[in-house]
Amino acid sequence: MTETISTPTSAAPALFEHVADSAAAVAHFRGRLGFESDVSDVSAALAEPEPGFVLVDTRNDASWAQGHVPGAIHLPGRRIAAEAASRIPAGSPVVVYCWGPGCNGATRAALEFALLGHPVKEMLGGFEYWVREGFAYDTADGPAQLGADPLTNVAAAGLAGGPVGAGTISCAC
């Protein structure tokens, strides 16, 4: 079955008053994928024997103790310039995260790593979405894991074609 997409009508002129052409949109979205990853893709890569990157939690000490992604190293943003060279091999790909989407600490950390010559990506959603998607995490008291938030995880909401809670599918994209 072929779906027909209609062109915008007068009902939505403001929405498409300023819209990029296809070539500009391709460049923009391809560029974003070069700088960002989501928690699901990071989790899948970390499950591989050789993930191919260093995961860096850029939050403060109290936040790290509260919880962090297993396998991450702790390097608060303010210490990256001074300590990264002694902790992360030069040129190693790096994925950074901070608390969540309301925080730009990961963006600042990504800039620091880029200035040091590392290929770098931000983990969108940060630690907040790692936990909300139902992935396990480490705390100062040991491992922890909460159930997936049904607003962020289609399996938890029963939308993945199976019973609620069957499997962990963090995005149906």
Side-chain angles (χ1 to χ4, degrees):
M1 174 179 214
T2 304
E3 183 179 338
T4 303
I5 307 293
S6 61
T7 56
T9 64
S10 61
L15 179 63
F16 285 92
E17 182 177 336
H18 302 285
V19 65
D21 63 32
S22 293
V26 167
H28 170 77
F29 293 115
R30 184 171 284 146
R32 282 189 63 186
L33 290 171
F35 299 110
E36 302 168 345
S37 185
D38 62 31
V39 296
S40 181
D41 289 343
V42 171
S43 175
L46 289 173
E48 295 294 322
E50 293 294 328
F53 63 93
V54 177
L55 182 62
V56 179
D57 184 316
T58 68
R59 299 171 304 145
N60 64 29
D61 294 339
S63 295
W64 170 263
Q66 181 184 32
H68 54 273
V69 176
I73 67 164
H74 184 223
L75 186 55
R78 69 184 178 284
R79 297 185 351 219
I80 292 170
E83 297 179 27
S86 66
R87 302 192 54 203
I88 300 169
S92 296
V94 173
V95 174
V96 296
Y97 71 90
C98 196
W99 173 250
C103 173
N104 68 359
T107 303
R108 289 191 305 271
L111 174 59
E112 289 296 321
F113 278 107
L115 289 168
L116 294 172
H118 290 272
V120 62
K121 286 189 174 197
E122 265 185 90
M123 183 175 81
L124 295 178
F127 183 69
E128 176 189 354
Y129 274 73
W130 183 271
V131 173
R132 289 183 74 187
E133 298 254 353
F135 295 123
Y137 58 97
D138 291 335
T139 72
D141 297 324
Q145 186 170 11
L146 300 176
D149 180 338
L151 295 176
T152 64
N153 187 302
V154 296
L159 301 174
V164 174
T168 301
I169 300 173
S170 54
C171 183
C173 310

